[in-house]
Amino acid sequence: LFVVASTFHSRIMYIYGQATDADAEIKIYDEADGSKTASKLVFHGKFATAANNVHNFQIPGLGIRCKAGMYVDLTNCDFCTIIGTFT
């Protein structure tokens, strides 16, 4: 998991992840703490049937906008890379 400070606005364009096991999940919340408020969930990606599967989520258009910061919660996922703009 990681947090992008609340002073940043972001626009997520690509999300990459590598699974440690089947049914890996990447959840991104538009908040700057670990509250995991369901109404703040802006992305939930599930992927992988086994360990070491890599998946790319390409977000169309202008991407996903996070105004309050970004909290990322990983399940069965070695790493997650988020590409976008951060201002």
Side-chain angles (χ1 to χ4, degrees):
L1 68 99
F2 68 86
V3 176
V4 174
S6 60
T7 57
F8 289 94
H9 295 272
S10 58
R11 212 171 269 285
I12 302 166
M13 302 305 294
Y14 297 94
I15 303 165
Y16 298 91
Q18 179 178 339
T20 56
D21 205 349
D23 299 324
E25 295 183 59
I26 299 172
K27 294 180 183 179
I28 302 175
Y29 297 86
D30 184 8
E31 56 191 10
D33 61 18
S35 299
K36 299 184 192 177
T37 309
S39 64
K40 299 292 184 177
L41 183 68
V42 294
F43 178 82
H44 183 187
K46 291 186 83 168
F47 64 100
T49 56
N52 299 319
N53 284 356
V54 176
H55 195 78
N56 168 35
F57 298 95
Q58 182 175 352
I59 311 302
L62 295 175
I64 299 171
R65 185 170 182 201
C66 293
K67 294 180 180 180
M70 189 184 336
Y71 178 83
V72 180
D73 183 26
L74 306 176
T75 303
N76 293 339
C77 190
D78 271 336
F79 71 86
C80 172
T81 302
I82 296 174
I83 298 174
T85 59
F86 303 92
T87 58

